[in-house]
Amino acid sequence: MKQIICNTKFKLDPFSDGGSKRSVQIRELLAKSGIPFVDDSFVLPKKASSLQMAKWALRAISFIRRYYPKGSIKSLRRYIWLVKYYALRIPVVLDKYKDKDVAFLWENTNDRDMLYLLKSTGHQVIGLPHNIESLVKGRSIKALENEVFNLRQCDAVFAISKEETWLLRLLGLNAHYLPYYPPQEAQSFLLSVYQKRESRNSNPIKKFALLGSATNSPTRSGMQALVDFASTQELPFELLVAGYGTESLREVAHPRISFMGTLSNDTLEELLVEIDGMIIYQPPTTGALTRIPEMLLAGIPVFANFDAARNYFNVNGIITYHSFEELLDLLATERPSAPTGYERDLSAEESFVKVVYRL
């Protein structure tokens, strides 16, 4: 069996942002299946002589001529950047792995230049896009075309949602579905919340949390838009705003809106046990695909707008809304029953393992 070389830009932390959690999930699946793997961030050389750098630069120029079509590099600045990029990375990727029996799991799918380098080793590459980055609001159709072109170079691609898998397959890619399921340490935490919620007392005034990783631009803009709207309303409930990086949100003055920022695990647990439900608002873009299964696993009802609810339509515990006004009506009138958990998609996980085994 080939050794798998994993490459991600995210730290491996089951309690951090969504990208970090996804990376941990992937590694747990490999370990559970007995697939040998190592993480390699391709650490760049710290020092090199002028002569060595010149030799690397010449190799980089040769590499660029071989793999980049004539006219595809539009500016001298881009060309110089590529020479520097490959001069430093060819020794730590191509020289290191060219003659070894390995395959790559490539999570940094917005780094197309790294993809060319991985493919040049002659080994297979599985792409694991945490999102289709070009679908972030404000990007162009050309950006989508470029991202699809890059992913098409992979031997297989595993997308995080049904909709993205369908889109990539429609565009001719060998795409499969691998949904997010919380890593083991996070599962234990969420199941503890579930058990404690069973004996919780009802709040005299309902409490809802707006929780998300605001280091993700679409998530932050969605959270800010909902906060701005809620601040203009007379709320018959409390709104608690919290999550990784939410210190970047613009706070508003409202007697029933509280900003809690990034929370410790203990404080997060207290919040999740206490609230009546979780609110998710996402503009038409990517993201939100780690929060929903986590909340369902913790037994917390989720109010998600149509765009955020993708991949989880008609799932027990999800209440879908289409406008802020509809959301306020639901929050004022509904006290939904707790979801009964969230079942992991074992068939999708088995499909992922089988593809990796065949590399």
Side-chain angles (χ1 to χ4, degrees):
M1 183 188 304
K2 293 183 178 180
Q3 183 179 52
I4 301 301
I5 310 301
C6 298
N7 177 239
T8 183
K9 66 179 180 180
F10 298 100
K11 60 182 179 180
L12 301 178
D13 184 347
F15 295 103
S16 185
D17 57 273
S20 299
K21 296 172 183 176
R22 175 68 163 176
S23 290
V24 175
Q25 175 206 6
I26 291 165
R27 283 147 186 77
E28 287 190 356
L29 284 175
L30 295 174
K32 181 181 178 181
S33 304
I35 297 174
F37 73 94
V38 295
D39 270 284
D40 196 336
S41 58
F42 309 133
V43 177
L44 304 183
K46 292 182 179 180
K47 292 183 179 180
S49 67
S50 298
L51 178 60
Q52 183 65 70
M53 285 300 300
K55 290 180 178 178
W56 287 346
L58 289 174
R59 291 185 69 189
I61 292 169
S62 176
F63 183 92
I64 292 167
R65 286 178 175 173
R66 187 184 317 139
Y67 289 100
Y68 286 75
K70 189 174 182 179
S72 63
I73 303 174
K74 303 298 184 183
S75 69
L76 179 60
R77 176 180 291 183
R78 167 69 173 160
Y79 187 83
I80 293 173
W81 186 92
L82 283 173
V83 171
K84 292 180 179 177
Y85 180 94
Y86 286 119
L88 293 173
R89 287 166 179 78
I90 285 174
V92 298
V93 179
L94 187 56
D95 293 351
K96 184 175 181 179
Y97 291 113
K98 187 172 181 62
D99 297 321
K100 291 188 178 179
D101 191 21
V102 300
F104 297 98
L105 292 191
W106 176 56
E107 295 179 62
N108 297 333
T109 55
N110 58 344
D111 185 355
R112 65 176 180 177
D113 305 308
M114 178 58 72
L115 172 63
Y116 295 160
L117 194 52
L118 297 179
K119 291 296 292 184
S120 72
T121 65
H123 301 308
Q124 293 176 297
V125 178
I126 290 183
L128 285 153
H130 290 206
N131 283 303
I132 298 181
E133 299 295 338
S134 57
L135 296 181
V136 173
K137 190 174 182 179
R139 303 292 294 275
S140 66
I141 291 297
K142 184 63 177 176
L144 176 61
E145 291 174 352
N146 289 338
E147 185 168 8
V148 169
F149 174 82
N150 295 333
L151 291 173
R152 190 174 283 120
Q153 313 312 307
C154 297
D155 297 279
V157 173
F158 281 85
I160 196 172
S161 75
K162 299 183 183 79
E163 291 83 359
E164 290 176 5
T165 305
W166 171 82
L167 174 62
L168 293 176
R169 292 183 69 85
L170 188 67
L171 295 172
L173 276 74
N174 180 23
H176 309 264
Y177 174 50
L178 180 64
Y180 171 74
Y181 192 82
Q184 186 59 53
E185 193 174 350
Q187 288 177 50
S188 299
F189 172 81
L190 295 166
L191 291 174
S192 174
V193 171
Y194 184 96
Q195 293 170 356
K196 292 178 180 179
R197 284 181 62 84
E198 290 184 322
S199 59
R200 65 188 282 271
N201 297 320
S202 296
N203 298 309
I205 297 177
K206 288 187 287 188
K207 295 183 178 183
F208 297 97
L210 180 60
L211 181 69
S213 177
T215 54
N216 176 278
S217 178
T219 300
R220 183 177 64 253
S221 63
M223 295 178 76
Q224 189 69 66
L226 197 150
V227 166
D228 290 345
F229 175 80
S231 67
T232 66
Q233 309 296 310
E234 293 185 11
L235 303 179
F237 53 83
E238 292 184 34
L239 179 61
L240 308 174
V241 183
Y244 189 75
T246 50
E247 292 82 1
S248 66
L249 293 176
R250 182 177 64 255
E251 297 191 14
V252 299
H254 192 288
R256 288 196 170 174
I257 301 177
S258 300
F259 291 83
M260 305 178 69
T262 302
L263 306 178
S264 67
N265 282 356
D266 289 343
T267 306
L268 176 61
E269 182 181 57
E270 292 173 4
L271 173 70
L272 296 180
V273 170
E274 179 184 23
I275 59 175
D276 294 281
M278 180 66 60
I279 303 170
I280 299 177
Y281 174 74
Q282 199 82 3
T285 182
T286 59
L289 292 170
T290 59
R291 279 173 284 165
I292 288 178
E294 289 177 344
M295 294 305 103
L296 297 180
L297 198 59
I300 300 171
V302 176
F303 294 79
N305 71 316
F306 183 84
D307 298 299
R310 68 190 180 95
N311 202 58
Y312 300 108
F313 292 115
N314 301 316
V315 173
N316 175 42
I318 303 290
I319 301 95
T320 306
Y321 63 92
H322 295 82
S323 68
F324 287 154
E325 291 79 9
E326 181 184 1
L327 171 63
L328 290 184
D329 288 341
L330 288 170
L331 296 178
T333 58
E334 295 253 345
R335 196 180 285 269
S337 57
T340 55
Y342 179 69
E343 294 295 327
R344 69 190 307 159
D345 192 330
L346 295 176
S347 62
E349 294 180 356
E350 289 170 1
S351 175
F352 170 72
V353 169
K354 287 179 181 177
V355 169
V356 175
Y357 260 114
R358 289 198 295 266
L359 291 177

